[in-house]
Structures are given as structure tokens and as C-alpha cells.
């Protein structure tokens, strides 16, 4: 099964982040530590951790401020 995150609101509305080719991803602004980049000042450097499991994708919020 193929998964993706789709931005529905805000500056990056319509942005599609495909969750493929790995089992874990960090999403955020930092190009050195994140596998998927969102270029928006409202997104933390390391914002989300996504992990694929047999039941689907588990998403963990890594940011307490954004």
C-alpha cells in the first residue's frame, strides 16, 4: 500500500509528501536531519516522525511549539 501526506491548508496547501522507499521518516525544515522537507516557517526543524507499521503509519509530533 502507498501512503502520502497532503497539506490541506496554509502556505504549502496542496503539497504532497509520498511516504515510500523507507519505513521511517522525519519531516521538517532541516535538510540535514529530515528525509521530507517542508519549507514553511511554521514548521519546526524536526516536526514529525512517521513510522510504518503493519497497521498503517504512526505519526509522532516532535515539536512542542509549532
Amino acid at each position: 500500500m502507498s501512503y502520502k501526506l497532503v497539506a490541506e491548508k496554509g502556505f504549502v496547501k496542496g503539497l504532497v509528501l509520498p511516504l515510500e522507499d523507507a519505513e521511517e521518516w522525519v519531516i521538517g525544515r532541516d535538510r540535514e536531519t529530515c528525509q521530507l522537507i517542508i519549507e514553511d516557517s511554521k514548521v519546526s526543524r524536526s516536526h514529525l516522525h512517521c513510522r510504518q507499521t503493519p497497521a498503517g503509519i504512526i505519526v509522532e509530533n516532535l515539536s512542542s511549539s509549532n
Side-chain angles (χ1 to χ4, degrees):
M1 178 173 276
S2 162
Y3 296 99
K4 60 186 172 187
L5 289 175
V6 179
E8 295 181 347
K9 296 180 182 178
F11 178 73
V12 294
K13 181 178 179 179
L15 175 69
V16 177
L17 298 175
L19 300 177
E20 52 191 34
D21 300 329
E23 292 186 14
E24 294 189 41
W25 308 266
V26 176
I27 301 171
R29 288 183 292 133
D30 188 346
R31 293 188 177 278
E32 293 186 24
T33 61
C34 298
Q35 290 75 43
L36 299 170
I37 306 300
I38 299 177
E39 294 183 9
D40 184 333
S41 61
K42 294 179 183 172
V43 174
S44 297
R45 285 175 285 187
S46 293
H47 198 91
L48 294 174
H49 177 250
C50 299
R51 180 171 45 94
Q52 189 169 350
T53 70
I57 301 288
I58 295 177
V59 178
E60 175 187 4
N61 184 4
L62 299 174
S63 171
S64 62
S65 60
N66 290 339

